[in-house]
């Protein structure tokens, strides 16, 4: 943090505080000497300790950036769509270029917290280095907690958890959320502290999703029910599509017909009430998925796929990857193998927005069903190549019906290849 050392030294001497007096159990005199001579970079925690002992607000150590300059930077960065799917690589690079000269001199305030998050996100993507970017995200988390912005603190922690989730490190992602919830009650005990309803739902939903991701269905359902109860208490409907989609997916995988019937019913009630076209599309795909993969009622599945296809939307929001997957499966089950492969081949790599292990395993079936189609064409070598790709994609995931189906299909192909060699 440029020029911090000399500034600390200057304030210490002005206040006639010796180096040994400024030091203590948490910070040695030798470390302080290195900091004052710009030979060591202090952490935010160290700076907080130093500021307390100097009896000054920590902002005073960062006053090189005045608030007018900082707010202008903040506005300029927001035009680059930070932390959104709309942001291009060029915009990420421009963001880093703009913020980098200030990054070691940002004061403790809301704008700085947001800039640390934006900068950390861009660094993670551009350098493909999670740990390097996390140091800035952790600074944002510290700032929001320090100045009592509980909503922003939760959102920053959720963002940090999401970065681990995107790397498929689901256990670490979950632990961050558990710790956030544990600390939340203490923060809310501070006078005038509060969180928005949507942020509270975000935290509960992400806890549910992450518990399911690590295979803890009981806790996952517990947090889903907390979200649904919260809807009743405050009469708000936020992330409703995602909540019901997750609930239906889990109930389907668990073969829990009672829960499945209940969640489908509640989802339909919500759609009738809200007239939400996107929710209707999600429902049709969920219905098709259930009938394709579990009830094996392929006519019902085809019926819902056609309803999906024929539902008009004004904003082009249809997610055709799900449609192509389920239509490909449906046509294979109908024995229309060429048509099935046409739809399955429309799906390239798994879409970037799909990161939950259940959904990733579900989409790995693309390769398995391609393999099954190739088998029908007598192309056994192409079949086993695709079947092996599917197995490799799910090998580190917890057991699901998708994973079981993928492995069993691959083993059948291996057996057929071996028999053919004999």
């Amino acid at each position: 943090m440029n020029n911090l050392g000399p500034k600390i030294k200057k304030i210490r001497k002005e206040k006639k505080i010796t180096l040994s007096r400024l030091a203590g159990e948490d910070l040695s005199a030798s470390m302080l000497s290195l900091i004052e001579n710009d030979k060591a970079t202090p952490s935010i925690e160290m700076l907080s300790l130093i500021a307390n002992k100097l009896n000054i607000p920590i902002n005073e150590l960062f006053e090189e950036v005045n608030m007018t300059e900082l707010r202008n930077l903040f506005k300029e960065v927001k035009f680059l769509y930070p932390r959104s799917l709309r942001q291009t690589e060029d915009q990420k690079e421009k963001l880093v270029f703009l913020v980098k000269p200030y990054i070691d001199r940002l004061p403790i305030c809301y704008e700085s917290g947001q800039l640390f998050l934006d900068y950390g996100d861009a660094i993670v993507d551009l350098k493909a280095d999670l740990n390097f970017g996390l140091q800035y995200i952790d600074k944002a988390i510290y700032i929001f907690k320090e100045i009592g912005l509980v909503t922003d603190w939760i959102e920053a922690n959720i963002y940090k958890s999401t970065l681990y989730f995107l790397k498929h490190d689901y256990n670490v992602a979950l632990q961050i959320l558990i710790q956030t919830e544990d600390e939340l009650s203490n923060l809310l005990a501070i006078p005038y502290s509060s969180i928005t309803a949507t942020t509270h739902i975000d935290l509960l939903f992400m806890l549910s999703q992450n518990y399911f991701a690590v295979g803890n269905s009981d806790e996952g359902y517990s947090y889903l029910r907390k979200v649904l109860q919260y809807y009743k208490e405050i009469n708000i409907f936020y992330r409703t599509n995602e909540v019901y989609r997750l609930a239906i997916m889990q109930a389907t995988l668990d073969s829990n017909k009672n829960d499945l019937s209940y969640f489908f019913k509640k989802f339909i009630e919500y759609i009738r009430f809200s007239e939400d076209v996107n929710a209707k599309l999600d429902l049709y795909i969920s219905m098709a998925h259930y009938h394709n993969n579990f009830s094996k009622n392929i006519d019902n599945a085809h019926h819902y796929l056609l309803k999906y296809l024929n539902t008009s939307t004004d904003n082009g929001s249809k997610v055709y990857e799900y449609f192509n997957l389920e239509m490909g499966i449906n046509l294979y089950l109908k024995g229309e193998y060429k048509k099935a492969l046409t739809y399955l081949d429309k799906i390239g790599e798994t879409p970037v927005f799909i990161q939950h292990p259940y959904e990733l395993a579900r989409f790995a079936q693309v390769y398995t069903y391609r393999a099954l189609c190739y088998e029908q064409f007598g192309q056994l070598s192409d079949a086993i190549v695709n079947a092996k790709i599917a197995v490799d994609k799910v090998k580190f995931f917890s057991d699901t019906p998708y994973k079981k189906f993928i492995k069993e299909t691959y083993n059948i192909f291996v057996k057929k290849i071996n028999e053919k060699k004999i």
Side-chain angles (χ1 to χ4, degrees):
M1 296 191 175
N2 302 334
N3 301 319
L4 269 174
K7 175 165 280 192
I8 291 169
K9 192 176 197 176
K10 179 183 176 185
I11 295 172
R12 176 174 65 76
K13 288 188 173 180
E14 286 174 354
K15 290 181 172 283
K16 298 180 179 179
I17 297 174
T18 65
L19 199 63
S20 58
R21 185 177 151 202
L22 185 59
E25 291 182 7
D26 299 309
L27 198 60
S28 67
S30 59
M31 176 56 78
L32 277 169
S33 178
L34 289 172
I35 291 170
E36 288 190 354
N37 289 291
D38 272 346
K39 293 181 180 178
T41 302
S43 65
I44 291 287
E45 289 79 7
M46 286 181 183
L47 291 175
S48 183
L49 286 169
I50 292 168
N52 285 337
K53 291 202 173 186
L54 292 173
N55 196 28
I56 60 170
I58 195 170
N59 284 11
E60 195 170 319
L61 298 175
F62 294 87
E63 66 184 0
E64 292 94 333
V65 183
N66 65 61
M67 288 308 296
T68 300
E69 189 178 7
L70 179 62
R71 284 170 184 150
N72 288 336
L73 173 64
F74 180 73
K75 288 177 183 177
E76 196 169 358
V77 165
K78 289 306 169 188
F79 280 116
L80 298 174
Y81 307 112
R83 287 177 282 141
S84 77
L85 294 176
R86 297 173 62 189
Q87 191 179 40
T88 64
E89 187 164 326
D90 285 346
Q91 288 171 325
K92 290 180 192 294
E93 289 175 349
K94 185 175 180 183
L95 188 154
V96 170
F97 176 79
L98 287 172
V99 178
K100 191 173 183 178
Y102 297 90
I103 199 68
D104 290 331
R105 303 183 294 125
L106 293 175
I108 304 294
C109 64
Y110 167 77
E111 289 84 356
S112 296
Q114 292 295 329
L115 288 171
F116 274 128
L117 278 178
D118 299 340
Y119 188 78
D121 170 72
I123 290 293
V124 168
D125 280 353
L126 292 173
K127 294 184 177 293
D129 188 337
L130 179 59
N131 291 329
F132 187 58
L134 278 174
Q135 64 179 305
Y136 301 108
I137 292 159
D138 283 337
K139 287 175 182 178
I141 290 169
Y142 174 84
I143 286 173
F144 293 139
K145 188 175 183 179
E146 188 74 7
I147 60 180
L149 294 176
V150 181
T151 290
D152 296 279
W153 174 78
I154 293 172
E155 289 174 353
N157 274 294
I158 289 174
Y159 181 69
K160 179 180 178 180
S161 170
T162 301
L163 289 178
Y164 280 101
F165 193 89
L166 294 175
K167 296 290 183 183
H168 304 165
D169 198 341
Y170 303 114
N171 284 298
V172 174
L174 176 59
Q175 288 306 313
I176 292 167
L177 296 174
I178 291 172
Q179 185 177 346
T180 301
E181 188 183 39
D182 288 344
E183 291 183 45
L184 181 57
S185 57
N186 291 332
L187 291 178
L188 290 177
I190 299 171
Y192 309 112
S193 294
S194 63
I195 60 172
T196 63
T198 53
T199 299
H200 193 182
I201 290 170
D202 281 337
L203 180 59
L204 295 175
F205 174 77
M206 296 301 287
L207 277 160
S208 174
Q209 175 180 263
N210 279 265
Y211 270 118
F212 283 136
V214 300
N216 190 334
S217 297
D218 290 342
E219 286 296 329
Y221 277 124
S222 172
Y223 279 95
L224 267 182
R225 293 187 182 99
K226 287 179 182 179
V227 174
L228 295 173
Q229 181 60 35
Y230 198 52
Y231 285 160
K232 290 181 182 178
E233 290 174 2
I234 62 174
N235 196 29
I236 189 173
F237 297 95
Y238 168 69
R239 300 191 82 145
T240 309
N241 289 13
E242 293 171 274
V243 169
Y244 282 118
R245 267 175 41 209
L246 182 62
I248 288 167
M249 171 67 80
Q250 189 64 46
T252 300
L253 293 178
D254 291 342
S255 299
N256 189 328
K257 291 186 177 180
N258 289 334
D259 276 358
L260 188 61
S261 175
Y262 172 77
F263 288 129
F264 268 133
K265 179 183 175 183
K266 298 301 290 183
F267 200 12
I268 291 167
E269 286 177 1
Y270 166 73
I271 291 167
R272 286 173 179 164
F273 160 74
S274 66
E275 299 182 352
D276 186 334
V277 175
N278 291 332
K280 189 182 291 186
L281 293 170
D282 287 338
L283 175 67
Y284 293 155
I285 288 295
S286 295
M287 288 284 198
H289 170 255
Y290 169 70
H291 288 302
N292 265 342
N293 295 273
F294 297 94
S295 79
K296 298 302 180 182
N297 189 327
I298 57 177
D299 289 334
N300 276 356
H302 199 76
H303 166 75
Y304 285 111
L305 287 167
L306 293 180
K307 287 176 76 71
Y308 178 94
L309 193 61
N310 295 326
T311 300
S312 61
T313 59
D314 296 327
N315 55 6
S317 60
K318 285 186 179 177
V319 181
Y320 279 105
E321 285 85 356
Y322 284 99
F323 172 79
N324 290 330
L325 172 63
E326 296 302 335
M327 184 60 88
I329 293 173
N330 187 254
L331 290 169
Y332 170 81
L333 295 173
K334 282 174 162 288
E336 299 179 39
Y337 307 119
K338 286 186 178 179
K339 284 185 179 180
L341 195 56
T342 299
Y343 281 96
L344 295 170
D345 283 346
K346 290 180 181 181
I347 303 169
E349 286 299 312
T350 305
V352 68
F353 56 83
I354 295 173
Q355 297 295 337
H356 196 285
Y358 291 174
E359 296 280 16
L360 290 170
R362 176 181 173 184
F363 265 84
Q365 292 182 113
V366 168
Y367 296 95
T368 301
Y369 277 101
R370 280 179 186 160
L372 290 166
C373 289
Y374 284 130
E375 181 192 24
Q376 295 298 322
F377 307 146
Q379 299 170 230
L380 200 55
S381 58
D382 288 332
I384 198 160
V385 167
N386 277 270
K388 180 65 165 62
I389 292 172
V391 167
D392 289 342
K393 284 184 173 290
V394 300
K395 63 184 176 183
F396 296 118
F397 296 154
S398 57
D399 290 335
T400 60
Y402 311 125
K403 184 175 180 177
K404 181 182 178 183
F405 168 67
I406 287 167
K407 288 174 68 177
E408 287 177 350
T409 304
Y410 173 70
N411 290 335
I412 289 170
F413 284 132
V414 169
K415 185 177 179 182
K416 287 183 178 181
I417 288 284
N418 290 335
E419 288 173 352
K420 194 172 181 181
K421 288 178 181 177
I422 295 171

